[in-house]
């Protein structure tokens, strides 16, 4: 006698099924009232950090006893942008090493061309990061945390990367940043049909405008590093003598100094430093009159963190980033969110987000079978 087994899927389980080969959702199964606002809220209620871990990813964990020089060579050799730091004595993750650390080390210890930087050659990660006096726990998120919680942690703590940790064994399984979040969000149903996104980025106040920190081809690398640190920017549009955009120098480009072992001479110009960019396909731009949807799609398709906003004469008038769009699309539900945000001065409230009870109804119990990360041997 045959039996018919009825399988019942809740809305979250159904959501997991509707993803393409890249892990990007292609259908939002939740039933919601019409309106883009409801779709975005439902999106962040439905999906978890687990969903943003790609099927195959690279994770480099560094021990805090490692020398600074070897640590940054590990970043260069593996092509990652951040590494969790493991303290063998505490048996715990205690921090993150990023390219910003490399920039600060160079800026602080550079004495002149071809003068050896002793700190870079002799100091350990433990010494540089001050982990022995570090009181705060590593900011992280669990596998089953909602995307709204992850966004809140990124923005409230003004960080760009968030370790995803398996709550069962404490292993770091991946590092979440805002670019995959925007790609994920771009697939929200009805997003492309929203009149809300037909406004120009200038009218919506998305991006930074006026007093944009720029550089010239003749600017020295050490001067660019000072701008990164002192002005709190992550990229410098390079302009000609008449102010027209010609190139861009980003924090990530600085890691090439380690790759080419040229960090002992930071007097070279940005023109020289950008001659050997890897996988560089030009500066990605937009205008202030282009719509939110068009600019958002360009960010996603180009897989970049920012677009330089230019006028009709190709002169720099602003910069719009992935972070700007995350703020606008997710946090505009909060009445305290400023329309023209100053990233370094303002904090954003999430008080008007989804209620806790709604989030609890959508719970994922991910498999804990993931293997622990491999430690990089140098």
């Amino acid at each position: 006698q045959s039996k018919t087994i009825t399988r019942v899927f809740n809305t979250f389980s159904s959501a997991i099924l509707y993803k393409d080969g890249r892990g990007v959702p292609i259908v939002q199964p939740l039933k919601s009232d019409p309106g883009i606002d409801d779709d975005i809220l439902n999106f962040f209620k439905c999906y978890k950090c687990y969903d943003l871990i790609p099927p195959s990813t690279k994770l480099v964990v560094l021990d805090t006893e490692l020398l600074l020089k070897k640590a940054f060579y590990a970043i260069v050799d593996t092509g990652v942008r951040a590494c969790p730091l493991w303290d063998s004595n505490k048996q715990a993750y205690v921090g993150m090493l990023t390219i910003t650390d490399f920039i600060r080390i160079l800026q602080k210890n550079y004495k002149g061309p071809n003068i050896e930087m002793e700190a870079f050659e002799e100091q350990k990660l433990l010494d540089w990061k001050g982990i022995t006096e570090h009181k705060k726990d590593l900011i992280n998120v669990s596998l089953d945390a909602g995307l709204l919680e992850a966004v809140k942690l990124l923005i409230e703590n003004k960080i760009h990367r968030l370790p995803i940790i398996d709550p069962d064994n404490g292993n770091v399984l991946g590092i979440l940043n805002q670019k995959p979040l925007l790609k994920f969000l771009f697939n929200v149903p009805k997003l492309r049909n929203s009149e809300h996104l037909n406004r120009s980025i200038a009218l919506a106040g998305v991006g930074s405008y006026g007093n944009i920190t720029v550089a010239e081809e003749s600017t020295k690398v050490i001067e660019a590093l000072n701008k990164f640190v002192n002005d709190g920017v992550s990229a410098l549009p390079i302009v000609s003598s008449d102010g027209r955009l010609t190139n861009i120098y980003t924090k990530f480009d600085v890691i090439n100094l380690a790759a080419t072992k040229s960090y002992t001479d930071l007097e070279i110009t940005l023109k020289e430093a950008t001659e050997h960019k890897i996988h560089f396909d030009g500066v990605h731009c937009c205008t202030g009159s282009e719509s939110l949807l068009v600019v958002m799609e360009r960010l996603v398709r180009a897989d970049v963190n920012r677009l330089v906003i230019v006028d009709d004469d190709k002169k720099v008038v602003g910069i719009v980033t992935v972070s700007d769009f995350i703020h606008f699309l997710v946090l505009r539900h909060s009445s305290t969110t400023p329309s023209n945000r100053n990233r370094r001065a303002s904090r954003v409230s999430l008080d008007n987000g989804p209620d806790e009870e709604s989030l609890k109804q959508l719970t994922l119990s991910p498999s804990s079978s993931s293997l622990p990360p491999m430690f990089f041997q140098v």
Side-chain angles (χ1 to χ4, degrees):
Q1 184 179 359
S2 62
K3 293 183 179 180
T4 301
I5 300 176
T6 303
R7 297 184 181 272
V8 179
F9 295 95
N10 59 33
T11 53
F12 184 74
S13 298
S14 301
I16 296 299
L17 296 177
Y18 285 94
K19 296 194 294 185
D20 65 15
R22 297 168 299 157
V24 176
I26 54 176
V27 176
Q28 168 59 273
L30 288 177
K31 295 180 180 179
S32 62
D33 296 329
I36 187 64
D37 288 356
D38 291 332
D39 273 353
I40 290 178
L41 284 179
N42 284 334
F43 177 91
F44 277 90
K45 289 178 184 178
C46 181
Y47 291 100
K48 307 287 184 177
C49 292
Y50 177 85
D51 297 303
L52 267 75
I53 298 179
S56 177
T57 186
K58 185 186 297 182
L59 180 66
V60 179
V61 177
L62 302 177
D63 193 285
T64 55
E65 293 291 332
L66 198 62
L67 290 175
L68 288 176
K69 181 171 70 172
K70 290 187 176 181
F72 287 109
Y73 284 164
I75 290 180
V76 171
D77 291 341
T78 57
V80 298
R81 300 197 177 197
C83 301
L85 299 180
W86 174 262
D87 189 319
S88 298
N89 295 323
K90 296 180 179 179
Q91 288 292 295
Y93 293 99
V94 291
M96 294 278 288
L97 185 72
T98 68
I99 295 173
T100 299
D101 292 310
F102 182 52
I103 292 172
R104 290 184 180 275
I105 291 171
L106 294 179
Q107 187 215 27
K108 181 177 179 180
N109 295 282
Y110 182 69
K111 306 300 181 184
N114 301 319
I115 299 177
E116 186 177 86
M117 287 181 277
E118 294 181 0
F120 193 66
E121 301 288 336
E122 300 174 2
Q123 278 191 354
K124 298 179 180 180
L125 290 173
L126 185 69
D127 303 323
W128 169 252
K129 296 296 286 188
I131 292 169
T132 51
E133 295 83 22
H134 192 67
K135 302 299 182 183
K136 295 182 179 179
D137 293 332
L138 173 66
I139 300 172
N140 63 80
V141 69
S142 66
L143 275 172
D144 58 353
L147 294 184
L148 187 65
E149 179 184 346
V151 170
K152 181 178 178 179
L153 284 172
L154 284 167
I155 292 173
E156 285 191 345
N157 293 283
K158 298 181 180 179
I159 55 178
H160 294 95
R161 291 170 180 82
L162 193 62
I164 302 175
I165 291 183
D166 188 334
D168 293 333
N169 53 33
N171 282 333
V172 176
L173 301 180
I175 299 176
L176 175 66
N177 61 60
Q178 294 184 12
K179 206 157 55 167
L181 275 170
L182 187 66
K183 290 180 181 179
F184 216 55
L185 187 59
F186 186 66
N187 290 274
V188 171
K190 299 194 289 288
L191 183 74
R192 296 168 182 78
N193 299 325
S194 170
E195 294 182 3
H196 189 71
L197 297 181
N198 288 330
R199 288 187 294 165
S200 69
I201 58 171
L203 183 62
V206 177
S208 300
Y209 302 84
N211 299 319
I212 301 299
T213 304
V214 299
E216 298 179 347
E217 289 186 340
S218 59
T219 300
K220 296 179 180 179
V221 169
I222 185 61
E223 296 171 345
L225 301 189
N226 290 335
K227 289 176 183 287
F228 285 141
V229 175
N230 299 333
D231 296 345
V233 296
S234 58
L236 293 170
I238 300 175
V239 298
S240 61
S241 57
D242 60 355
R244 298 176 189 272
L245 180 67
T246 61
N247 209 329
I248 192 168
Y249 193 65
T250 70
K251 281 186 174 182
F252 187 69
D253 294 323
V254 179
I255 204 66
N256 288 331
L257 298 174
T260 58
K261 297 181 174 59
S262 58
Y263 54 83
T264 56
D265 184 7
L266 303 181
E267 306 297 324
I268 63 173
T269 65
L270 292 186
K271 181 179 181 180
E272 297 172 281
T274 56
E275 284 178 348
H276 306 291
K277 277 191 174 185
I278 301 174
H279 306 305
F280 181 63
D281 57 352
V283 186
H284 296 275
C285 306
C286 67
T287 64
S289 60
E290 290 184 276
S291 72
L292 290 162
L293 183 60
V294 167
V295 174
M296 180 183 179
E297 182 170 6
R298 191 170 302 161
L299 281 166
V300 171
R301 302 294 185 201
D303 193 30
V304 294
N305 287 307
R306 68 193 62 81
L307 300 176
V308 181
I309 306 172
V310 296
D311 60 17
D312 293 337
D313 296 322
K314 296 297 181 182
K315 294 185 177 181
V316 178
V317 297
I319 290 181
V320 60
T321 68
V322 169
S323 181
D324 291 321
F325 270 90
I326 296 295
H327 272 79
F328 178 76
L329 291 171
V330 181
L331 301 182
R332 60 192 173 84
H333 299 286
S334 171
S335 59
T336 60
T337 304
S339 59
N340 193 2
R341 179 177 55 84
N342 184 324
R343 284 188 292 273
R344 296 185 294 277
S346 64
R347 293 179 64 85
V348 185
S349 170
L350 289 176
D351 294 339
N352 294 338
D355 57 271
E356 293 295 327
E357 189 61 33
S358 298
L359 292 174
K360 289 178 181 177
Q361 293 175 0
L362 295 165
T363 303
L364 171 65
S365 298
S367 170
S368 59
S369 60
S370 300
L371 294 175
M374 297 295 293
F375 283 74
F376 191 83
Q377 302 293 326
V378 292

